[in-house]
Amino acid sequence: MTALRTERLNLRPLEWADREAYAAMRFHPDVARWLSVADRDPLAAAEATIARFQSSWKTRGYAPWGVFTDGQLIGQCGLNFVPEFEETEVLWALRPDAWGKGYATEAARAALTFGFETIQLDLIFAVTKPDNTASQAVMKRLGLVYRRDVVYREIPSVWFEISRPQ
Ligand SMILES: CC(C)(COP(=O)(O)OP(=O)(O)OC[C@H]1O[C@@H](n2cnc3c(N)ncnc32)[C@H](O)[C@@H]1OP(=O)(O)O)[C@@H](O)C(=O)NCCC(=O)NCCS
C-alpha cells in the first residue's frame, strides 16, 4: 500500500481506526448529496467502504486514500476501479470546512501522477452529477475534458477523462 505526501496533505490508505472520521466526512449531508446517502447506519457503511478499499489495495494495488492535514482526516481522494466501465476513476470528497483551499485539486493531481507514472494507467475518468459545478471545476483544473453524458449507478452524470499523453 502506498502513501503520498503533497505540499500540504498526507494521503494514506484508510484504516479501521478512521471509520468514525470517515463516516462523518463521507455522510455529511453536504457531501452525501453529491454522492450517495448511506444505505445503512453511516458507521457500518463507512466500515464497508474501508474494507472494500483495503481489498482493492491488496488485489489491484490502488484505491482511494484518506486525505489528512495535521493528522486529521479531511476527505478522500484517489483512484477507484469501476467494473461497470472497466476503467479507473479519480474521485474526491472533502469535509465542507476543507472546501475552498485547493486541497481536492492538490490531492487529485498527486493521484493522477500516481496513476499515470506509477501504475501506468492509459486513461483516468471522473463522473459527477451535471449540476456539481465544484467537482467539474476540479476536473477542469486538472485537465480532464468532458466527453459525454452517462448513467452511472442509475444517476444521470457527466463523464470527463484524461489520457496519459495529455
Ligand atoms: C468537489 C469538492 C471536493 C471540491 O472542493 P473545492 O474546495 O471546491 O476544490 P479545491 O480543493 O480544488 O479548491 C478550489 C478552491 O480553493 C481556492 N483556493 C484557496 N486557496 C487555494 C490554494 N492555496 N491553492 C489552490 N486553490 C485555492 C480556489 O480559488 C478555489 O476556489 P473557488 O471554488 O472559489 O474558485 C467539494 O466541493 C466536495 O467535497 N463536494 C462534495 C463531494 C463531491 O461532490 N465530490 C465529487 C463527487 S464526483
Side-chain angles (χ1 to χ4, degrees):
M1 294 200 289
T2 307
L4 298 180
R5 178 167 288 196
T6 68
E7 194 181 334
R8 298 177 294 172
L9 306 168
N10 287 312
L11 310 184
R12 69 153 171 79
L14 288 158
E15 299 168 359
W16 184 249
D18 299 318
R19 63 195 188 284
E20 288 185 354
Y22 182 81
M25 179 281 297
R26 173 62 184 76
F27 298 111
H28 186 291
D30 294 342
V31 172
R33 70 181 281 242
W34 297 112
L35 300 167
S36 58
V37 296
D39 56 0
R40 62 195 104 167
D41 164 55
L43 189 57
E47 290 168 358
T49 299
I50 290 172
R52 182 167 63 80
F53 289 170
Q54 288 179 338
S55 167
S56 182
W57 278 109
K58 289 197 187 99
T59 59
R60 203 166 274 283
Y62 60 89
W65 291 275
V67 179
F68 295 82
T69 52
D70 302 323
Q72 300 294 313
L73 184 142
I74 59 160
Q76 67 175 353
C77 180
L79 303 175
N80 182 49
F81 182 75
V82 180
E84 294 94 316
F85 298 126
E86 295 191 338
E87 295 284 2
T88 298
E89 68 172 340
V90 58
L91 58 75
W92 41 72
L94 298 175
R95 255 175 23 196
D97 63 354
W99 296 357
K101 301 177 198 295
Y103 288 156
T105 301
E106 182 173 323
R109 188 165 282 126
L112 291 180
T113 301
F114 177 78
F116 287 128
E117 294 183 4
T118 305
I119 54 178
Q120 298 281 304
L121 296 172
D122 291 323
L123 183 115
I124 298 174
F125 76 95
V127 286
T128 194
K129 294 178 180 173
D131 55 344
N132 192 341
T133 52
S135 189
Q136 287 169 52
V138 178
M139 295 174 194
K140 289 172 190 167
R141 277 194 286 275
L142 293 166
L144 280 82
V145 175
Y146 168 81
R147 290 284 180 230
R148 59 181 174 274
D149 293 347
V150 292
V151 177
Y152 181 45
R153 296 186 182 151
E154 300 179 5
I155 300 171
S157 304
V158 288
W159 171 294
F160 283 65
E161 65 182 34
I162 185 169
S163 62
R164 187 169 1 176
Q166 290 168 314

